[in-house]
Amino acid sequence: MADSRLNSLHLEPARRQEYRRAREALLSARGSHTLFICRDTDTSRAGHTLIQEGKGAAQRELTYWLSDGEFIYPLHVGVNTLGRSSNNDVVVDDPYASRRHCAILVHSTEAFELHDTASKNGTYLNGMRLSGPALLKSGDEIRISERPLLFLTRSSDSDALDPQATLSS
């Protein structure tokens, strides 16, 4: 596995199979344009980035991010992982969050998808539990356990963009 954030060795066999199916769906949704943009990105990096809310210029420079009211979590084109494990892009400090709870796929076309990665307690989008990948738009609320995260973007036409445009032919 090239991206250590998406390994499944920590899971018991039944959940491992479910997680692998979810991971495969996430990775196949990336598409050729998004993969091309991400080809030089080092996905083996450990750790995450967060910015204290209200710290000035940093937020003005972001294109897409999550906010929990206290911190801002920058997102990048490609797969952004969320969960309890410290090597996620967004670390969710909650004992009811799975190690690899969900992922946000930012397409090169600035379309956005939320994928639950077989979490035990589910991922919620605007109060509804995900049953499959869902398109995101600026202002959507993602909830992991009792932790709400607001998805925000500067893209004005993100609703009109089709994530299928990044799929390879």
Side-chain angles (χ1 to χ4, degrees):
M1 161 97 342
D3 190 339
S4 63
R5 296 172 303 161
L6 300 174
N7 75 44
S8 59
L9 297 174
H10 65 285
L11 297 170
E12 65 273 2
R15 282 213 51 236
R16 185 177 303 144
Q17 289 303 86
E18 188 179 341
Y19 177 82
R20 287 179 177 173
R21 280 191 293 276
R23 178 181 65 200
E24 184 58 34
L26 170 66
L27 294 177
S28 22
R30 292 178 297 178
S32 59
H33 293 113
T34 300
L35 282 171
F36 181 76
I37 288 175
C38 297
R39 73 187 186 287
D40 296 327
T41 306
D42 179 13
T43 58
S44 64
R45 70 194 181 288
H48 57 281
T49 302
L50 60 89
I51 302 165
Q52 185 78 36
E53 183 85 57
K55 290 295 183 190
Q59 185 176 353
R60 287 190 297 269
E61 296 170 6
L62 298 175
T63 307
Y64 357 87
W65 67 96
L66 293 174
S67 173
D68 65 3
E70 185 178 356
F71 294 104
I72 295 168
Y73 305 89
L75 301 174
H76 59 274
V77 172
V79 175
N80 297 270
T81 59
L82 293 82
R84 203 177 68 236
S85 181
S86 64
N87 68 344
N88 285 300
D89 297 299
V90 177
V91 176
V92 179
D93 188 22
D94 186 315
Y96 295 104
S98 295
R99 290 179 205 177
R100 284 146 190 41
H101 200 93
C102 63
I104 295 174
L105 179 55
V106 176
H107 290 277
S108 60
T109 59
E110 293 189 352
F112 316 95
E113 293 180 46
L114 177 62
H115 291 252
D116 181 83
T117 49
S119 64
K120 274 190 174 179
N121 296 316
T123 302
Y124 292 80
L125 177 60
N126 297 323
M128 307 239 344
R129 187 175 179 144
L130 286 184
S131 59
L135 294 176
L136 285 173
K137 62 185 182 312
S138 191
D140 280 344
E141 182 188 80
I142 300 165
R143 188 169 52 82
I144 298 172
S145 184
E146 294 302 317
R147 179 99 178 267
L149 296 161
L150 193 61
F151 174 75
L152 297 164
T153 179
R154 295 208 189 288
S155 303
S156 58
D157 293 331
S158 63
D159 295 331
L161 294 171
D162 180 8
Q164 298 301 316
T166 65
L167 295 176
S168 55
S169 23

